[in-house]
Amino acid sequence: MEPQELRAVANRIRRRDLQAVYEAGAGHIGGEMSVTDLLTALYFHTMSIDPQAPMDPDRDRLVLSKGHTALALYVVLSEKGFIPKEEISTFLRPNSRLNGHPNRVKVPGVETNTGPLGHGLPVGVGMATGAKLDGAAWRTFVITGDGEMQEGSNWEAIMAAAQFKLDNLTLIIDHNRLQQGARLAETNDLAPLRPKLEAFGWAVDEIDGHDMAQICHALSPQTVVAGRPKCIVAHTNKGQGISFMTDNVAWHHKVPNEEQYKQAMAELEEAAG
């Protein structure tokens, strides 16, 4: 897909995500809005995957380490054909397989269970190492939050990835500057992230995480540096696309009321043209 088509898909995903949060009365809508463009580009432009063969050994892998934004992943998987679109309406309901955090045993297309922050990148390093040992060509992508990068396990994984020269691994940091209850700068300010990753031997791109052309270029195999794992620092906005949610820490897992829901949906529909 071209960037314009990807933007249309991302807008549709945001609207369905918003509706599901409103109907379920729960979710992590701020981070879901910030990560949607990244997920859309991965699944509809970059990754080699087949919804009809979700366990194909040659598939690319995505680990959504910020597992609390599972709903955004579910909507993307439904748009791609891994799960029925109508199943999104079961989000968080009793006996639904669409839980608040993704479960690889239950949901096709989910590569590993996530939720406890700081686990996804170490798992991704293991995946990428396995591919190297097998001489396989598939790639591993990991999405973390910027607040999540405060976890020490991530930095151990970063060191290991450089040591093992995992140029088949791409870390994408959803750098929306906010975490639960506070700004990153008020807790443990890791910014700027680029020089820290470069100091560990990673190749780093810094992009606008809502610009589809930039996202697709940064994810392309042509930008991989031989022998070096890659990090994409994606500058995003929590609550992207919805005026009163954008860059507002209150919307980490707040649920819109009826009036807010109607306003948010109207804004997203207007953006869709």
Side-chain angles (χ1 to χ4, degrees):
M1 286 188 181
E2 295 299 314
Q4 183 174 352
E5 297 172 287
L6 291 169
R7 285 192 292 271
V9 173
N11 183 281
R12 187 162 65 244
I13 289 166
R14 282 191 171 92
R15 283 180 281 156
R16 188 65 188 91
D17 186 290
L18 169 66
Q19 179 186 353
V21 167
Y22 177 68
E23 292 175 347
H28 288 81
I29 194 165
E32 289 155 15
M33 296 295 123
S34 73
V35 80
T36 292
D37 293 319
L38 302 171
L39 288 171
T40 300
L42 281 164
Y43 278 88
F44 292 90
H45 179 269
T46 303
M47 291 172 57
S48 177
I49 47 173
D50 182 359
Q52 303 307 311
M55 298 303 290
D56 182 347
D58 295 324
R59 71 191 184 281
D60 289 337
R61 273 76 162 170
L62 168 73
V63 176
L64 181 65
S65 191
K66 48 179 294 179
H68 54 283
T69 60
L71 178 56
L73 176 61
Y74 298 151
V75 179
V76 169
L77 291 174
S78 73
E79 284 282 336
K80 190 68 178 177
F82 282 90
I83 60 176
K85 287 186 178 182
E86 58 268 22
E87 189 173 358
I88 299 300
S89 64
T90 72
F91 177 61
L92 296 181
R93 291 185 180 177
N95 301 317
S96 172
R97 60 180 178 171
L98 304 186
N99 298 323
H101 294 89
N103 187 324
R104 72 174 302 276
V105 177
K106 296 181 178 181
V107 184
V110 173
E111 293 293 347
T112 190
N113 296 25
T114 53
L117 298 179
H119 288 196
L121 184 55
V123 171
V125 168
M127 290 176 171
T129 302
K132 284 285 187 182
L133 292 172
D134 288 344
W138 51 268
R139 301 171 68 191
T140 299
F141 301 88
V142 178
I143 297 180
T144 69
D146 50 4
E148 179 181 2
M149 294 304 294
Q150 296 166 359
E151 299 283 354
S153 51
N154 283 319
W155 297 96
E156 293 182 41
I158 286 166
M159 287 187 284
Q163 175 68 27
F164 301 144
K165 304 184 186 307
L166 299 182
D167 50 12
N168 58 346
L169 173 67
T170 298
L171 165 64
I172 307 162
I173 302 175
D174 183 11
H175 191 13
N176 61 31
R177 305 172 305 283
L178 299 174
Q179 58 193 99
Q180 182 173 341
R183 291 188 170 273
L184 186 71
E186 297 167 355
T187 52
N188 186 1
D189 193 2
L190 295 171
L193 286 157
R194 179 173 193 157
K196 295 175 176 64
L197 271 293
E198 288 177 335
F200 280 99
W202 284 55
V204 183
D205 281 347
E206 203 157 2
I207 65 167
D208 177 343
H210 299 304
D211 184 311
M212 282 298 182
Q214 290 188 37
I215 298 169
C216 292
H217 175 73
L219 289 171
S220 68
Q222 290 77 20
T223 63
V224 170
V225 178
R228 297 173 68 187
K230 176 161 186 177
C231 175
I232 300 170
V233 179
H235 291 271
T236 61
N237 294 310
K238 208 154 193 169
Q240 173 71 13
I242 302 170
S243 61
F244 59 89
M245 293 186 191
T246 300
D247 198 36
N248 187 336
V249 70
W251 288 97
H252 181 76
H253 52 61
K254 187 176 178 180
V255 177
N257 59 31
E258 183 178 2
E259 181 181 352
Q260 291 168 328
Y261 169 69
K262 289 179 178 178
Q263 179 183 340
M265 189 62 76
E267 290 182 6
L268 291 173
E269 289 174 349
E270 183 179 359

